[in-house]
Structure formats: C-alpha cells, structure tokens
PDB file of all heavy atoms in Angstrom:
ATOM      1  N   VAL C   1      10.416 -86.113 -60.345  1.00  0.00           N
ATOM      2  CA  VAL C   1      11.816 -86.318 -60.720  1.00  0.00           C
ATOM      3  C   VAL C   1      12.611 -85.071 -60.356  1.00  0.00           C
ATOM      4  O   VAL C   1      12.065 -83.966 -60.244  1.00  0.00           O
ATOM      5  CB  VAL C   1      11.983 -86.619 -62.226  1.00  0.00           C
ATOM      6  CG1 VAL C   1      11.288 -87.902 -62.609  1.00  0.00           C
ATOM      7  CG2 VAL C   1      11.488 -85.461 -63.076  1.00  0.00           C
ATOM      8  N   THR C   2      13.910 -85.265 -60.147  1.00  0.00           N
ATOM      9  CA  THR C   2      14.796 -84.141 -59.877  1.00  0.00           C
ATOM     10  C   THR C   2      16.151 -84.409 -60.509  1.00  0.00           C
ATOM     11  O   THR C   2      16.483 -85.558 -60.816  1.00  0.00           O
ATOM     12  CB  THR C   2      14.947 -83.905 -58.358  1.00  0.00           C
ATOM     13  OG1 THR C   2      15.614 -82.650 -58.140  1.00  0.00           O
ATOM     14  CG2 THR C   2      15.747 -85.015 -57.693  1.00  0.00           C
ATOM     15  N   HIS C   3      16.909 -83.364 -60.696  1.00  0.00           N
ATOM     16  CA  HIS C   3      18.217 -83.461 -61.345  1.00  0.00           C
ATOM     17  C   HIS C   3      19.272 -82.858 -60.434  1.00  0.00           C
ATOM     18  O   HIS C   3      19.061 -81.798 -59.826  1.00  0.00           O
ATOM     19  CB  HIS C   3      18.180 -82.701 -62.676  1.00  0.00           C
ATOM     20  CG  HIS C   3      19.455 -82.764 -63.451  1.00  0.00           C
ATOM     21  ND1 HIS C   3      20.098 -81.634 -63.942  1.00  0.00           N
ATOM     22  CD2 HIS C   3      20.221 -83.822 -63.829  1.00  0.00           C
ATOM     23  CE1 HIS C   3      21.193 -82.000 -64.586  1.00  0.00           C
ATOM     24  NE2 HIS C   3      21.300 -83.308 -64.517  1.00  0.00           N
ATOM     25  N   TRP C   4      20.417 -83.547 -60.315  1.00  0.00           N
ATOM     26  CA  TRP C   4      21.541 -83.044 -59.514  1.00  0.00           C
ATOM     27  C   TRP C   4      22.647 -82.634 -60.480  1.00  0.00           C
ATOM     28  O   TRP C   4      23.514 -83.431 -60.830  1.00  0.00           O
ATOM     29  CB  TRP C   4      22.023 -84.121 -58.544  1.00  0.00           C
ATOM     30  CG  TRP C   4      22.929 -83.604 -57.467  1.00  0.00           C
ATOM     31  CD1 TRP C   4      23.007 -82.337 -57.001  1.00  0.00           C
ATOM     32  CD2 TRP C   4      23.880 -84.359 -56.717  1.00  0.00           C
ATOM     33  NE1 TRP C   4      23.935 -82.239 -55.993  1.00  0.00           N
ATOM     34  CE2 TRP C   4      24.493 -83.472 -55.802  1.00  0.00           C
ATOM     35  CE3 TRP C   4      24.284 -85.698 -56.718  1.00  0.00           C
ATOM     36  CZ2 TRP C   4      25.474 -83.881 -54.908  1.00  0.00           C
ATOM     37  CZ3 TRP C   4      25.255 -86.095 -55.829  1.00  0.00           C
ATOM     38  CH2 TRP C   4      25.847 -85.202 -54.931  1.00  0.00           C
ATOM     39  N   PRO C   5      22.661 -81.386 -60.927  1.00  0.00           N
ATOM     40  CA  PRO C   5      23.577 -80.960 -61.988  1.00  0.00           C
ATOM     41  C   PRO C   5      25.026 -80.886 -61.518  1.00  0.00           C
ATOM     42  O   PRO C   5      25.310 -80.590 -60.361  1.00  0.00           O
ATOM     43  CB  PRO C   5      23.045 -79.581 -62.378  1.00  0.00           C
ATOM     44  CG  PRO C   5      22.343 -79.087 -61.164  1.00  0.00           C
ATOM     45  CD  PRO C   5      21.760 -80.304 -60.494  1.00  0.00           C
ATOM     46  N   THR C   6      25.922 -81.148 -62.436  1.00  0.00           N
ATOM     47  CA  THR C   6      27.348 -81.052 -62.116  1.00  0.00           C
ATOM     48  C   THR C   6      27.745 -79.620 -61.790  1.00  0.00           C
ATOM     49  O   THR C   6      28.695 -79.390 -61.037  1.00  0.00           O
ATOM     50  CB  THR C   6      28.191 -81.560 -63.300  1.00  0.00           C
ATOM     51  OG1 THR C   6      27.827 -80.830 -64.489  1.00  0.00           O
ATOM     52  CG2 THR C   6      27.948 -83.048 -63.537  1.00  0.00           C
ATOM     53  N   SER C   7      27.009 -78.654 -62.324  1.00  0.00           N
ATOM     54  CA  SER C   7      27.312 -77.252 -62.039  1.00  0.00           C
ATOM     55  C   SER C   7      27.088 -76.900 -60.576  1.00  0.00           C
ATOM     56  O   SER C   7      27.623 -75.905 -60.083  1.00  0.00           O
ATOM     57  CB  SER C   7      26.457 -76.339 -62.923  1.00  0.00           C
ATOM     58  OG  SER C   7      25.083 -76.575 -62.706  1.00  0.00           O
ATOM     59  N   ASN C   8      26.310 -77.731 -59.884  1.00  0.00           N
ATOM     60  CA  ASN C   8      26.066 -77.535 -58.452  1.00  0.00           C
ATOM     61  C   ASN C   8      26.836 -78.540 -57.608  1.00  0.00           C
ATOM     62  O   ASN C   8      26.483 -78.794 -56.454  1.00  0.00           O
ATOM     63  CB  ASN C   8      24.577 -77.645 -58.142  1.00  0.00           C
ATOM     64  CG  ASN C   8      23.782 -76.473 -58.680  1.00  0.00           C
ATOM     65  OD1 ASN C   8      24.353 -75.456 -59.086  1.00  0.00           O
ATOM     66  ND2 ASN C   8      22.468 -76.603 -58.698  1.00  0.00           N
ATOM     67  N   GLY C   9      27.859 -79.162 -58.200  1.00  0.00           N
ATOM     68  CA  GLY C   9      28.643 -80.143 -57.473  1.00  0.00           C
ATOM     69  C   GLY C   9      28.066 -81.532 -57.481  1.00  0.00           C
ATOM     70  O   GLY C   9      28.542 -82.411 -56.747  1.00  0.00           O
ATOM     71  N   GLY C  10      27.048 -81.761 -58.305  1.00  0.00           N
ATOM     72  CA  GLY C  10      26.388 -83.052 -58.352  1.00  0.00           C
ATOM     73  C   GLY C  10      27.023 -84.006 -59.336  1.00  0.00           C
ATOM     74  O   GLY C  10      28.062 -83.731 -59.938  1.00  0.00           O
ATOM     75  N   ASN C  11      26.355 -85.140 -59.549  1.00  0.00           N
ATOM     76  CA  ASN C  11      26.869 -86.175 -60.444  1.00  0.00           C
ATOM     77  C   ASN C  11      26.224 -86.138 -61.827  1.00  0.00           C
ATOM     78  O   ASN C  11      26.526 -86.982 -62.673  1.00  0.00           O
ATOM     79  CB  ASN C  11      26.665 -87.561 -59.816  1.00  0.00           C
ATOM     80  CG  ASN C  11      25.214 -87.809 -59.426  1.00  0.00           C
ATOM     81  OD1 ASN C  11      24.308 -87.115 -59.894  1.00  0.00           O
ATOM     82  ND2 ASN C  11      24.992 -88.788 -58.554  1.00  0.00           N
ATOM     83  N   GLY C  12      25.313 -85.200 -62.049  1.00  0.00           N
ATOM     84  CA  GLY C  12      24.634 -85.096 -63.336  1.00  0.00           C
ATOM     85  C   GLY C  12      23.504 -86.080 -63.513  1.00  0.00           C
ATOM     86  O   GLY C  12      22.890 -86.127 -64.579  1.00  0.00           O
ATOM     87  N   HIS C  13      23.176 -86.859 -62.487  1.00  0.00           N
ATOM     88  CA  HIS C  13      22.129 -87.874 -62.600  1.00  0.00           C
ATOM     89  C   HIS C  13      20.755 -87.296 -62.277  1.00  0.00           C
ATOM     90  O   HIS C  13      20.628 -86.240 -61.652  1.00  0.00           O
ATOM     91  CB  HIS C  13      22.424 -89.044 -61.650  1.00  0.00           C
ATOM     92  CG  HIS C  13      23.670 -89.794 -61.990  1.00  0.00           C
ATOM     93  ND1 HIS C  13      24.122 -90.873 -61.260  1.00  0.00           N
ATOM     94  CD2 HIS C  13      24.577 -89.631 -62.983  1.00  0.00           C
ATOM     95  CE1 HIS C  13      25.244 -91.333 -61.779  1.00  0.00           C
ATOM     96  NE2 HIS C  13      25.542 -90.583 -62.833  1.00  0.00           N
ATOM     97  N   TRP C  14      19.746 -88.056 -62.712  1.00  0.00           N
ATOM     98  CA  TRP C  14      18.355 -87.750 -62.386  1.00  0.00           C
ATOM     99  C   TRP C  14      17.856 -88.783 -61.394  1.00  0.00           C
ATOM    100  O   TRP C  14      18.319 -89.925 -61.373  1.00  0.00           O
ATOM    101  CB  TRP C  14      17.495 -87.775 -63.649  1.00  0.00           C
ATOM    102  CG  TRP C  14      17.773 -86.650 -64.593  1.00  0.00           C
ATOM    103  CD1 TRP C  14      18.838 -86.526 -65.433  1.00  0.00           C
ATOM    104  CD2 TRP C  14      16.976 -85.489 -64.800  1.00  0.00           C
ATOM    105  NE1 TRP C  14      18.773 -85.358 -66.144  1.00  0.00           N
ATOM    106  CE2 TRP C  14      17.627 -84.705 -65.784  1.00  0.00           C
ATOM    107  CE3 TRP C  14      15.777 -85.038 -64.258  1.00  0.00           C
ATOM    108  CZ2 TRP C  14      17.106 -83.491 -66.220  1.00  0.00           C
ATOM    109  CZ3 TRP C  14      15.250 -83.826 -64.701  1.00  0.00           C
ATOM    110  CH2 TRP C  14      15.922 -83.055 -65.670  1.00  0.00           C
ATOM    111  N   TYR C  15      16.873 -88.388 -60.571  1.00  0.00           N
ATOM    112  CA  TYR C  15      16.290 -89.276 -59.575  1.00  0.00           C
ATOM    113  C   TYR C  15      14.765 -89.218 -59.689  1.00  0.00           C
ATOM    114  O   TYR C  15      14.191 -88.130 -59.831  1.00  0.00           O
ATOM    115  CB  TYR C  15      16.705 -88.869 -58.162  1.00  0.00           C
ATOM    116  CG  TYR C  15      18.201 -88.891 -57.936  1.00  0.00           C
ATOM    117  CD1 TYR C  15      18.992 -87.800 -58.316  1.00  0.00           C
ATOM    118  CD2 TYR C  15      18.828 -89.993 -57.356  1.00  0.00           C
ATOM    119  CE1 TYR C  15      20.366 -87.808 -58.129  1.00  0.00           C
ATOM    120  CE2 TYR C  15      20.203 -90.009 -57.164  1.00  0.00           C
ATOM    121  CZ  TYR C  15      20.962 -88.912 -57.549  1.00  0.00           C
ATOM    122  OH  TYR C  15      22.320 -88.931 -57.366  1.00  0.00           O
ATOM    123  N   GLY C  16      14.137 -90.380 -59.640  1.00  0.00           N
ATOM    124  CA  GLY C  16      12.683 -90.448 -59.702  1.00  0.00           C
ATOM    125  C   GLY C  16      12.129 -91.156 -58.479  1.00  0.00           C
ATOM    126  O   GLY C  16      12.610 -92.222 -58.096  1.00  0.00           O
ATOM    127  N   LEU C  17      11.111 -90.564 -57.867  1.00  0.00           N
ATOM    128  CA  LEU C  17      10.439 -91.168 -56.727  1.00  0.00           C
ATOM    129  C   LEU C  17       9.183 -91.882 -57.216  1.00  0.00           C
ATOM    130  O   LEU C  17       8.336 -91.276 -57.871  1.00  0.00           O
ATOM    131  CB  LEU C  17      10.060 -90.103 -55.695  1.00  0.00           C
ATOM    132  CG  LEU C  17       9.238 -90.594 -54.506  1.00  0.00           C
ATOM    133  CD1 LEU C  17      10.031 -91.581 -53.664  1.00  0.00           C
ATOM    134  CD2 LEU C  17       8.760 -89.407 -53.663  1.00  0.00           C
ATOM    135  N   TYR C  18       9.084 -93.169 -56.889  1.00  0.00           N
ATOM    136  CA  TYR C  18       7.961 -93.996 -57.332  1.00  0.00           C
ATOM    137  C   TYR C  18       7.139 -94.495 -56.146  1.00  0.00           C
ATOM    138  O   TYR C  18       7.687 -94.791 -55.081  1.00  0.00           O
ATOM    139  CB  TYR C  18       8.461 -95.224 -58.085  1.00  0.00           C
ATOM    140  CG  TYR C  18       9.034 -94.964 -59.454  1.00  0.00           C
ATOM    141  CD1 TYR C  18      10.305 -94.425 -59.605  1.00  0.00           C
ATOM    142  CD2 TYR C  18       8.307 -95.271 -60.604  1.00  0.00           C
ATOM    143  CE1 TYR C  18      10.841 -94.201 -60.866  1.00  0.00           C
ATOM    144  CE2 TYR C  18       8.840 -95.057 -61.864  1.00  0.00           C
ATOM    145  CZ  TYR C  18      10.108 -94.513 -61.991  1.00  0.00           C
ATOM    146  OH  TYR C  18      10.640 -94.294 -63.233  1.00  0.00           O
ATOM    147  N   VAL C  19       5.831 -94.622 -56.385  1.00  0.00           N
ATOM    148  CA  VAL C  19       4.945 -95.353 -55.479  1.00  0.00           C
ATOM    149  C   VAL C  19       4.402 -96.546 -56.260  1.00  0.00           C
ATOM    150  O   VAL C  19       3.931 -96.395 -57.396  1.00  0.00           O
ATOM    151  CB  VAL C  19       3.779 -94.479 -54.989  1.00  0.00           C
ATOM    152  CG1 VAL C  19       2.828 -95.298 -54.125  1.00  0.00           C
ATOM    153  CG2 VAL C  19       4.290 -93.277 -54.214  1.00  0.00           C
ATOM    154  N   ASN C  20       4.474 -97.741 -55.672  1.00  0.00           N
ATOM    155  CA  ASN C  20       3.888 -98.915 -56.298  1.00  0.00           C
ATOM    156  C   ASN C  20       2.466 -99.074 -55.777  1.00  0.00           C
ATOM    157  O   ASN C  20       2.244 -99.146 -54.573  1.00  0.00           O
ATOM    158  CB  ASN C  20       4.706-100.166 -55.967  1.00  0.00           C
ATOM    159  CG  ASN C  20       4.278-101.359 -56.797  1.00  0.00           C
ATOM    160  OD1 ASN C  20       3.872-101.210 -57.949  1.00  0.00           O
ATOM    161  ND2 ASN C  20       4.360-102.538 -56.228  1.00  0.00           N
ATOM    162  N   TYR C  21       1.497 -99.123 -56.673  1.00  0.00           N
ATOM    163  CA  TYR C  21       0.113 -99.120 -56.238  1.00  0.00           C
ATOM    164  C   TYR C  21      -0.740 -99.997 -57.146  1.00  0.00           C
ATOM    165  O   TYR C  21      -0.320-100.453 -58.201  1.00  0.00           O
ATOM    166  CB  TYR C  21      -0.436 -97.699 -56.233  1.00  0.00           C
ATOM    167  CG  TYR C  21      -0.825 -97.167 -57.599  1.00  0.00           C
ATOM    168  CD1 TYR C  21      -2.156 -96.935 -57.922  1.00  0.00           C
ATOM    169  CD2 TYR C  21       0.137 -96.894 -58.568  1.00  0.00           C
ATOM    170  CE1 TYR C  21      -2.510 -96.452 -59.169  1.00  0.00           C
ATOM    171  CE2 TYR C  21      -0.209 -96.411 -59.818  1.00  0.00           C
ATOM    172  CZ  TYR C  21      -1.536 -96.184 -60.118  1.00  0.00           C
ATOM    173  OH  TYR C  21      -1.887 -95.714 -61.342  1.00  0.00           O
ATOM    174  N   ASP C  22      -1.972-100.229 -56.702  1.00  0.00           N
ATOM    175  CA  ASP C  22      -2.925-101.041 -57.446  1.00  0.00           C
ATOM    176  C   ASP C  22      -4.087-100.146 -57.847  1.00  0.00           C
ATOM    177  O   ASP C  22      -4.948 -99.839 -57.030  1.00  0.00           O
ATOM    178  CB  ASP C  22      -3.413-102.202 -56.572  1.00  0.00           C
ATOM    179  CG  ASP C  22      -4.334-103.160 -57.326  1.00  0.00           C
ATOM    180  OD1 ASP C  22      -4.647-102.873 -58.503  1.00  0.00           O
ATOM    181  OD2 ASP C  22      -4.737-104.170 -56.742  1.00  0.00           O
ATOM    182  N   ASP C  23      -4.120 -99.721 -59.103  1.00  0.00           N
ATOM    183  CA  ASP C  23      -5.181 -98.800 -59.501  1.00  0.00           C
ATOM    184  C   ASP C  23      -6.519 -99.500 -59.662  1.00  0.00           C
ATOM    185  O   ASP C  23      -7.559 -98.865 -59.736  1.00  0.00           O
ATOM    186  CB  ASP C  23      -4.812 -98.026 -60.764  1.00  0.00           C
ATOM    187  CG  ASP C  23      -4.625 -98.906 -61.994  1.00  0.00           C
ATOM    188  OD1 ASP C  23      -4.766-100.137 -61.876  1.00  0.00           O
ATOM    189  OD2 ASP C  23      -4.333 -98.357 -63.059  1.00  0.00           O
ATOM    190  N   SER C  24      -6.534-100.835 -59.691  1.00  0.00           N
ATOM    191  CA  SER C  24      -7.805-101.548 -59.758  1.00  0.00           C
ATOM    192  C   SER C  24      -8.544-101.486 -58.431  1.00  0.00           C
ATOM    193  O   SER C  24      -9.726-101.790 -58.358  1.00  0.00           O
ATOM    194  CB  SER C  24      -7.566-103.016 -60.137  1.00  0.00           C
ATOM    195  OG  SER C  24      -6.859-103.691 -59.105  1.00  0.00           O
ATOM    196  N   ALA C  25      -7.830-101.085 -57.359  1.00  0.00           N
ATOM    197  CA  ALA C  25      -8.451-101.029 -56.038  1.00  0.00           C
ATOM    198  C   ALA C  25      -9.163 -99.707 -55.786  1.00  0.00           C
ATOM    199  O   ALA C  25      -9.818 -99.535 -54.766  1.00  0.00           O
ATOM    200  CB  ALA C  25      -7.398-101.251 -54.957  1.00  0.00           C
ATOM    201  N   LEU C  26      -9.039 -98.766 -56.705  1.00  0.00           N
ATOM    202  CA  LEU C  26      -9.652 -97.457 -56.504  1.00  0.00           C
ATOM    203  C   LEU C  26     -11.171 -97.546 -56.646  1.00  0.00           C
ATOM    204  O   LEU C  26     -11.688 -98.178 -57.557  1.00  0.00           O
ATOM    205  CB  LEU C  26      -9.128 -96.451 -57.522  1.00  0.00           C
ATOM    206  CG  LEU C  26      -7.653 -96.050 -57.392  1.00  0.00           C
ATOM    207  CD1 LEU C  26      -7.285 -95.125 -58.536  1.00  0.00           C
ATOM    208  CD2 LEU C  26      -7.386 -95.387 -56.070  1.00  0.00           C
ATOM    209  N   SER C  27     -11.877 -96.893 -55.726  1.00  0.00           N
ATOM    210  CA  SER C  27     -13.330 -96.790 -55.827  1.00  0.00           C
ATOM    211  C   SER C  27     -13.692 -95.339 -56.133  1.00  0.00           C
ATOM    212  O   SER C  27     -12.886 -94.431 -55.965  1.00  0.00           O
ATOM    213  CB  SER C  27     -13.991 -97.207 -54.515  1.00  0.00           C
ATOM    214  OG  SER C  27     -13.668 -96.289 -53.487  1.00  0.00           O
ATOM    215  N   VAL C  28     -14.925 -95.128 -56.585  1.00  0.00           N
ATOM    216  CA  VAL C  28     -15.366 -93.775 -56.886  1.00  0.00           C
ATOM    217  C   VAL C  28     -15.278 -92.899 -55.642  1.00  0.00           C
ATOM    218  O   VAL C  28     -14.828 -91.758 -55.698  1.00  0.00           O
ATOM    219  CB  VAL C  28     -16.807 -93.792 -57.426  1.00  0.00           C
ATOM    220  CG1 VAL C  28     -17.342 -92.357 -57.571  1.00  0.00           C
ATOM    221  CG2 VAL C  28     -16.866 -94.508 -58.764  1.00  0.00           C
ATOM    222  N   SER C  29     -15.673 -93.437 -54.497  1.00  0.00           N
ATOM    223  CA  SER C  29     -15.637 -92.641 -53.267  1.00  0.00           C
ATOM    224  C   SER C  29     -14.204 -92.277 -52.887  1.00  0.00           C
ATOM    225  O   SER C  29     -13.933 -91.168 -52.433  1.00  0.00           O
ATOM    226  CB  SER C  29     -16.293 -93.411 -52.122  1.00  0.00           C
ATOM    227  OG  SER C  29     -15.614 -94.634 -51.869  1.00  0.00           O
ATOM    228  N   GLN C  30     -13.266 -93.220 -53.084  1.00  0.00           N
ATOM    229  CA  GLN C  30     -11.865 -92.925 -52.792  1.00  0.00           C
ATOM    230  C   GLN C  30     -11.353 -91.825 -53.708  1.00  0.00           C
ATOM    231  O   GLN C  30     -10.664 -90.903 -53.268  1.00  0.00           O
ATOM    232  CB  GLN C  30     -11.011 -94.179 -52.970  1.00  0.00           C
ATOM    233  CG  GLN C  30     -11.096 -95.153 -51.819  1.00  0.00           C
ATOM    234  CD  GLN C  30     -10.275 -96.389 -52.115  1.00  0.00           C
ATOM    235  OE1 GLN C  30     -10.314 -96.912 -53.224  1.00  0.00           O
ATOM    236  NE2 GLN C  30      -9.540 -96.843 -51.127  1.00  0.00           N
ATOM    237  N   ILE C  31     -11.679 -91.938 -54.983  1.00  0.00           N
ATOM    238  CA  ILE C  31     -11.214 -90.936 -55.934  1.00  0.00           C
ATOM    239  C   ILE C  31     -11.746 -89.562 -55.566  1.00  0.00           C
ATOM    240  O   ILE C  31     -10.998 -88.579 -55.525  1.00  0.00           O
ATOM    241  CB  ILE C  31     -11.651 -91.314 -57.368  1.00  0.00           C
ATOM    242  CG1 ILE C  31     -10.909 -92.574 -57.827  1.00  0.00           C
ATOM    243  CG2 ILE C  31     -11.399 -90.161 -58.333  1.00  0.00           C
ATOM    244  CD1 ILE C  31     -11.377 -93.115 -59.149  1.00  0.00           C
ATOM    245  N   GLU C  32     -13.045 -89.470 -55.246  1.00  0.00           N
ATOM    246  CA  GLU C  32     -13.624 -88.185 -54.901  1.00  0.00           C
ATOM    247  C   GLU C  32     -13.009 -87.640 -53.616  1.00  0.00           C
ATOM    248  O   GLU C  32     -12.636 -86.480 -53.533  1.00  0.00           O
ATOM    249  CB  GLU C  32     -15.141 -88.330 -54.750  1.00  0.00           C
ATOM    250  CG  GLU C  32     -15.856 -88.603 -56.063  1.00  0.00           C
ATOM    251  CD  GLU C  32     -17.336 -88.841 -55.857  1.00  0.00           C
ATOM    252  OE1 GLU C  32     -17.743 -89.015 -54.693  1.00  0.00           O
ATOM    253  OE2 GLU C  32     -18.075 -88.864 -56.859  1.00  0.00           O
ATOM    254  N   GLU C  33     -12.878 -88.506 -52.606  1.00  0.00           N
ATOM    255  CA  GLU C  33     -12.360 -88.056 -51.317  1.00  0.00           C
ATOM    256  C   GLU C  33     -10.930 -87.565 -51.433  1.00  0.00           C
ATOM    257  O   GLU C  33     -10.606 -86.468 -50.979  1.00  0.00           O
ATOM    258  CB  GLU C  33     -12.432 -89.208 -50.306  1.00  0.00           C
ATOM    259  CG  GLU C  33     -11.801 -88.858 -48.959  1.00  0.00           C
ATOM    260  CD  GLU C  33     -11.753 -90.048 -48.017  1.00  0.00           C
ATOM    261  OE1 GLU C  33     -12.309 -91.112 -48.373  1.00  0.00           O
ATOM    262  OE2 GLU C  33     -11.150 -89.903 -46.947  1.00  0.00           O
ATOM    263  N   TYR C  34     -10.074 -88.382 -52.046  1.00  0.00           N
ATOM    264  CA  TYR C  34      -8.663 -88.037 -52.066  1.00  0.00           C
ATOM    265  C   TYR C  34      -8.356 -86.950 -53.081  1.00  0.00           C
ATOM    266  O   TYR C  34      -7.493 -86.125 -52.855  1.00  0.00           O
ATOM    267  CB  TYR C  34      -7.810 -89.284 -52.326  1.00  0.00           C
ATOM    268  CG  TYR C  34      -7.689 -90.138 -51.100  1.00  0.00           C
ATOM    269  CD1 TYR C  34      -8.494 -91.250 -50.916  1.00  0.00           C
ATOM    270  CD2 TYR C  34      -6.780 -89.831 -50.096  1.00  0.00           C
ATOM    271  CE1 TYR C  34      -8.397 -92.032 -49.773  1.00  0.00           C
ATOM    272  CE2 TYR C  34      -6.674 -90.592 -48.952  1.00  0.00           C
ATOM    273  CZ  TYR C  34      -7.477 -91.693 -48.797  1.00  0.00           C
ATOM    274  OH  TYR C  34      -7.388 -92.446 -47.678  1.00  0.00           O
TER     275      TYR C  34
END
C-alpha cells in the first residue's frame, strides 16, 4: 500500500496493489523454490 498525502500535492488517498491467486494450487516444491 502507499499514500499520496495532500502535503505533497496529492489527493490524500491510499492505493493498494493486489494479486488474485489460488493458494490451493501451491505445492511444497513451489513454496520452497519461490
């Protein structure tokens, strides 16, 4: 997440970056590797 403060000329809003994923697809080997 990040914040764009009005003190820096921003709108005072927050922004969140999301990834949509399937955690049921994770395998032990994937977890260890990544």
Side-chain angles (χ1 to χ4, degrees):
V1 297
T2 191
H3 182 232
W4 194 23
T6 55
S7 59
N8 290 347
N11 54 18
H13 295 179
W14 291 76
Y15 300 83
L17 175 64
Y18 288 76
V19 176
N20 190 33
Y21 79 111
D22 185 356
D23 63 359
S24 66
L26 292 176
S27 66
V28 173
S29 61
Q30 282 177 317
I31 292 173
E32 291 176 348
E33 175 186 354
Y34 283 98

